Amino acid sequence: MPEFDWRSPDSYKSLQDAEITDIAWECLRRNADYRREYEVMIANSQNGEVTEEFRRKWGICFRP
């Protein structure tokens, strides 16, 4: 497994062309609290949809 050197600019070259939403999603998906709440919400949802409250809490609301 290649070692990741967080100090090296070369380690972040792939982010140069990333959209801000891509970076935000990467941070969010690594958040243990988010993942846990998402799993609970989906398990308790009859239709498997994400609630508006959940979207607002985690900042995944996008304006047109």
Side-chain angles (χ1 to χ4, degrees), residues 21-32 34-35 58:
T21 53
D22 296 331
I23 295 169
W25 169 244
E26 190 61 29
C27 293
L28 187 60
R29 77 175 191 87
R30 293 175 185 219
N31 183 304
Y34 167 82
R35 290 194 324 265
W58 290 103

Side-chain angles (χ1 to χ4, degrees), residues 12-63:
Y12 298 94
K13 284 191 184 239
S14 64
L15 295 176
Q16 288 177 340
D17 297 323
E19 297 287 328
I20 191 71
T21 53
D22 296 331
I23 295 169
W25 169 244
E26 190 61 29
C27 293
L28 187 60
R29 77 175 191 87
R30 293 175 185 219
N31 183 304
D33 293 332
Y34 167 82
R35 290 194 324 265
R36 187 173 29 261
E37 286 186 29
Y38 177 82
E39 291 298 325
V40 168
M41 182 191 53
I42 293 299
N44 293 325
S45 172
Q46 290 182 1
N47 57 7
E49 290 187 13
V50 176
T51 65
E52 185 66 26
E53 180 183 355
F54 182 84
R55 291 175 198 258
R56 288 185 196 280
K57 177 179 180 178
W58 290 103
I60 48 179
C61 301
F62 299 98
R63 296 181 185 189

